[in-house]
Every structure is written in structure tokens, then in C-alpha cells.
Amino acid sequence: MVDVDWQRLSALAVEAMERAYCPYSGFPVGAAGLTADGRLVSGCNVENAGYGCTLCAECSMVSELVRTGGGRLVAVACVNGNKEPVAPCGRCRQVIYEHGGDECAVLMPAGAMTMREVLPGAFGPDDLGEVAGAAAPRV
Ligand code: THU
């Protein structure tokens, strides 16, 4: 696994968590990511009166990743309101996988793990290419 300054990444996630908009759940989340070219990106959860419209912190982080030039995520840390690591939800694992792949490191409550471990057998862009005529990634 890549060597990551988890303290620095977690501190950025805490900063983002402190900006969360979560009037419905009262459960703020912050996410921070390190890119292969050394950039840092972050995001917080943004809830909505239509509960299902809520954006998770990881989705906000990936939005910043794409907006600031894209690239690959090599490490991701997410924190809860106690400033402790929180496991990304299933949907967010899929979102992180798209931009980090199997080798991306994720700080889980039990310690750092790879995406291969937290989302084994993931469905990803390569699977689309398996079927002739299906949408292949255009990047
Ligand atoms: N949440 C995240 O931001 N990321 C996750 O991976 C898990 C859940 C948010 C969504 C909602 O605003 C709150 O946490 C409670 O579920």
C-alpha cells in the first residue's frame, strides 16, 4: 500500500466535516483525498429536505477532484463528527472506486485498507468494455 500521511489527510477531512450541511441527520461527515500527482481534495455531506437527494461527503470530494483537473485518487480519509475515521457507505465505495481503482488506500475505523479489500470484486469501467456496443469510458 502507498505510504500516506494519514494525519494530514484526516485533518483536511475534519476541516471539511466542520462545513457539513446536515440539519436532518445531525451527522456531519468530511472526506479528503490525495491524488497521484500530489493534490488534495475534500468534501462534506450536503443534506436536503428531500432526504434521498443528500450528497455524501465522498461525492462532494469527487466533484472537487473532477473540477480541479481529475486524475487518480491514491488515498481517501473520511471522518465523522467525533473526528474519527468513518467507513464510506456502499455507494461511496463505488464512487471512490471509479477514480481510485483497486489500489486506492482508504482509512477505515480499523486502519488503512485498499479498495480491493473494501469493495472486493468491484464493478468498474473495464466491465463496460467487455460488451460490444456498451458505453466504454471516454476519458
Ligand atoms: N454520509 C456520508 O456523507 N458519507 C458516507 O459514506 C456515509 C453517510 C452522510 C449522509 C448523511 O448526510 C449522513 O451521513 C447520515 O447518513
Side-chain angles (χ1 to χ4, degrees):
M1 202 184 308
V2 285
D3 191 31
V4 180
D5 184 346
W6 289 115
Q7 245 180 337
R8 182 164 178 235
L9 207 55
S10 299
L12 184 62
V14 167
E15 239 177 71
M17 178 274 291
E18 287 169 344
R19 301 275 174 145
Y21 175 76
C22 55
Y24 304 106
S25 72
F27 190 86
V29 180
L34 171 68
T35 65
D37 60 0
R39 284 147 50 224
L40 291 167
V41 290
S42 62
C44 61
N45 53 333
V46 182
E47 297 187 344
N48 191 282
Y51 298 164
C53 297
T54 288
L55 307 177
C56 279
E58 297 89 330
C59 293
S60 304
M61 175 194 74
V62 165
S63 175
E64 183 180 314
L65 169 75
V66 172
R67 180 184 63 78
T68 59
R72 300 297 285 170
L73 288 169
V74 294
V76 173
C78 304
V79 298
N80 61 22
N82 292 334
K83 306 183 179 181
E84 286 162 354
V86 63
C89 74
R91 181 173 184 272
C92 289
R93 292 179 197 204
Q94 181 72 26
V95 170
I96 294 167
Y97 182 79
E98 177 85 12
H99 301 275
D102 281 323
E103 305 307 325
C104 180
V106 181
L107 189 59
M108 297 290 280
M113 297 173 75
T114 61
M115 277 305 298
R116 182 180 282 105
E117 292 170 308
V118 303
L119 192 63
F123 175 85
D126 291 348
D127 292 290
L128 293 176
E130 295 295 312
V131 175
R138 279 169 278 191
V139 285

